[in-house]
Amino acid sequence: MNKNAFRQLSYGVYVVSTWDEGRATGCTANSAMQITSEPATIAVSVNHDNYTNECIQKLGRFALSVLGEHSDPATIGIFGFKSGRDCDKFDEVKPEIRGHMPVIPDACAYIVCEVVDRMETSTHTVFLGKVVDADILNKDDPMTYAYYHNVIKGKSPRTAPTYIPEDQEPKAEPVYVCSVCGYEYRGDIPFEELPDDYLCPVCKQPKSVFQKK
């Protein structure tokens, strides 16, 4: 089975956020969709290992921030490759409070939901949420998962539904890869000639964490 066929499905890039006893927390997601229009219902898939999953289960509410092509790529790294158990992600990305929930300020839009049902799979919980608030935040084109892969050159976190192990990825020419988040540097300037203070545009780690692939 060629799992790269799944890449032909359409995905967006989102941050799912909620409250952890008064502290904002969240994680990136790429599997979210509108299920019904009346009442408006959203489905989002969150890995069992993500701390956000546990917090949504407790609170019964979540917000979905729709990232745009001009959203800060570092947001994907912060919310996709760090754990809310170990750090406060919103220390690095100050939230806006909309519908009593924390959202990403430079996202295209936000949707706030109350959990009305959920479905458990072996690795993920699919939360069904009744929409209680939603609005446009910024004029921007929503970031697609294809844009994230092909333009930003980002990788899927291991907890993402679309994660594909490296040995099943299409083969490519050697590139320099961030060992933290998987970002692949393919710039016009040779990697060796980049300044020493160069930072990964996704997770903001230094040049020293990159490995030749």
Side-chain angles (χ1 to χ4, degrees):
M1 178 173 62
N2 183 0
K3 292 185 177 180
N4 289 292
F6 301 150
R7 294 272 174 85
Q8 302 308 306
L9 295 172
S10 179
Y11 300 95
V13 183
Y14 314 98
V15 170
V16 181
S17 55
T18 189
W19 294 107
D20 173 23
E21 298 182 352
R23 179 186 70 119
T25 192
C27 65
T28 56
N30 54 38
S31 295
M33 63 183 297
Q34 183 176 350
I35 301 297
T36 62
S37 58
E38 187 58 44
T41 307
I42 298 293
V44 63
S45 178
V46 183
N47 193 283
H48 292 158
D49 292 337
N50 284 341
Y51 187 59
T52 303
N53 186 316
E54 179 182 330
C55 295
I56 294 174
Q57 302 268 12
K58 291 179 180 178
L59 186 67
R61 288 171 64 94
F62 66 87
L64 189 73
S65 295
V66 183
L67 299 187
E69 293 182 359
H70 294 91
S71 295
D72 187 350
T75 300
I76 302 171
I78 293 166
F79 287 89
F81 297 93
K82 296 182 179 182
S83 173
R85 294 184 182 90
D86 307 322
C87 69
D88 189 337
K89 301 177 186 181
F90 278 102
D91 273 348
E92 300 182 64
V93 180
K94 299 300 181 184
E96 285 191 15
I97 307 303
R98 299 294 184 99
H100 307 292
M101 298 296 288
V103 301
I104 304 299
D106 67 357
C108 295
Y110 73 88
I111 304 170
V112 175
C113 298
E114 291 181 352
V115 176
V116 294
D117 204 350
R118 61 179 182 264
M119 179 181 71
E120 298 295 341
T121 73
S122 59
T123 58
H124 288 68
T125 302
V126 179
F127 292 101
L128 295 182
K130 180 181 72 174
V131 178
V132 296
D133 189 23
D135 203 355
I136 302 297
L137 288 173
N138 297 285
K139 187 177 180 180
D140 196 0
D141 292 324
M143 185 186 298
T144 64
Y145 207 55
Y147 184 93
Y148 173 62
H149 275 285
N150 299 329
V151 179
I152 298 180
K153 304 299 182 184
K155 291 286 188 178
S156 304
R158 289 183 179 275
T159 55
T162 53
Y163 172 73
I164 298 177
E166 287 190 9
D167 59 1
Q168 297 180 30
E169 292 273 8
K171 299 300 180 183
E173 294 297 321
V175 294
Y176 283 86
V177 181
C178 175
S179 62
V180 175
C181 71
Y183 169 81
E184 297 182 356
Y185 176 79
R186 297 175 183 270
D188 295 331
I189 302 173
F191 186 82
E192 295 85 350
E193 297 179 13
L194 290 174
D196 292 337
D197 60 357
Y198 171 81
L199 299 177
C200 173
V202 174
C203 67
K204 301 302 182 184
Q205 295 300 307
K207 181 181 178 181
S208 59
V209 306
F210 279 75
Q211 298 175 351
K212 188 175 182 180
K213 181 178 177 183

